[in-house]
Amino acid sequence: METLHTTNMRSAIGPLFLAASTHGLVALEFDARLPGQQSIRPNPRHLRKEKNGFTFANSLRLLQPYVNELEEYFAGKRRKFSFPLDLRGTDFQLACWRALLAIPYGETRSYAAIARAVGKPNAFRAVGMANNRNPVAIVVPCHRVIASDGTLCGYGGGLDTKRRLLELEGALTRVLAA
């Protein structure tokens, strides 16, 4: 059974949960989740410590490099993360998440643009579902994806959090000006 090292951190947008394997960051989740939103974390009502073949070991020491870069991001001192990711998903999800990673800091793309980027121009709804399943919020920047008409829509951390992240990056003023 694989052990994921975990920690919780405070951030400008609220508490965050981080989990990493020996290969990189597996999950970055908002503490507050919307109903039905997926989580790698075990249900606290369960006494079992494992989920999906994982055991969890709390380890701020091992996750400190991730926490440091996230703190720099929230302080406006970091635009790109340098730590490794251990993304796990379907081939289509991985393609979508790689396309998200290509969106520069301070910019946005539409779901349709991401669909075109992954070679599936009519799959904008499927792109939305892949974004919904993104296990590494903020770092894999699904907050940078907006509707084709320029409006903010759908975000696992809530639209207020999406707005705050885009404001932090200076992207919201460009969205509103478009």
Side-chain angles (χ1 to χ4, degrees):
M1 185 164 303
E2 181 180 18
T3 298
L4 295 181
H5 298 280
T6 66
T7 195
N8 293 290
M9 70 173 281
R10 292 184 181 170
S11 77
I13 57 168
L16 300 173
F17 169 82
L18 288 76
S21 71
T22 56
H23 302 290
L25 192 64
V26 173
L28 193 164
E29 299 178 355
F30 301 103
D31 191 51
R33 293 186 309 278
L34 300 174
Q37 192 174 6
Q38 289 188 327
S39 172
I40 197 169
R41 291 178 276 185
N43 185 326
R45 289 176 281 186
H46 296 167
L47 297 176
R48 294 174 34 196
K49 295 260 183 191
E50 72 278 348
K51 178 180 178 179
N52 298 329
F54 304 133
T55 59
F56 296 89
N58 193 14
S59 180
L60 175 58
R61 182 182 60 78
L62 290 174
L63 286 154
Q64 194 63 55
Y66 302 98
V67 170
N68 290 346
E69 288 196 23
L70 285 160
E71 287 173 344
E72 291 170 358
Y73 168 82
F74 286 114
K77 297 176 182 173
R78 176 170 290 277
R79 292 175 171 238
K80 189 169 182 155
F81 298 99
S82 65
F83 49 74
L85 298 175
D86 184 1
L87 298 175
R88 301 169 184 199
T90 66
D91 289 342
F92 180 76
Q93 288 171 332
L94 292 169
C96 290
W97 300 337
R98 283 190 295 272
L100 297 177
L101 287 165
I103 303 171
Y105 179 96
E107 294 185 22
T108 59
R109 299 289 184 274
S110 68
Y111 291 94
I114 299 299
R116 288 189 299 275
V118 299
K120 305 275 186 190
N122 296 320
F124 49 89
R125 285 192 178 97
V127 166
M129 288 307 300
N131 278 11
N132 179 267
R133 300 282 190 257
N134 173 13
V136 185
I138 303 165
V139 177
V140 177
C142 55
H143 62 278
R144 296 179 188 157
V145 181
I146 59 174
S148 291
D149 66 2
T151 59
L152 302 185
C153 62
Y155 190 62
L159 289 182
D160 184 54
T161 298
K162 184 173 192 165
R163 182 176 290 105
R164 290 173 66 193
L165 291 170
L166 291 173
E167 285 172 351
L168 171 73
E169 296 183 6
L172 191 59
T173 55
R174 284 190 278 287
V175 169
L176 296 175

